Amino acid sequence: MTKKIAFFIGALSLFLTAWLFVGLDRYVGDHEVGSAWDPFIKTTPTFQVLFRNPAQYTLDRDPFDSLDSTRKNQFLEYCGIRYGIHDPHRCEEYIEQMRVK
């Protein structure tokens, strides 16, 4: 009986850790690639699992300065959790560098 309890506690701990530290980012590609979920390790633990860049729609991305205040805040939160970057312009540069050309 105690082995079952220990297994349950271990499994629950593993699940909670994964939930807090692993996220899925919605990747949007062109018509050939389509879209997919890209797993990543969060830089800040959160209960949110599914993430999406609030500045990106299809292949186009809106510059940070053109976003309204709500989307700016969402972008800052996204960059902080996804990349650990808290400067929006540095985050934009990083995202552009990581983009498949």
Side-chain angles (χ1 to χ4, degrees), residues 26-31 34-35 52-62 99:
R26 177 98 175 157
Y27 172 79
V28 179
D30 61 11
H31 66 280
S35 61
R52 186 177 146 275
N53 183 343
Q56 183 160 359
Y57 293 97
T58 65
L59 291 177
D60 298 324
R61 204 170 24 83
D62 296 334
R99 204 171 171 176

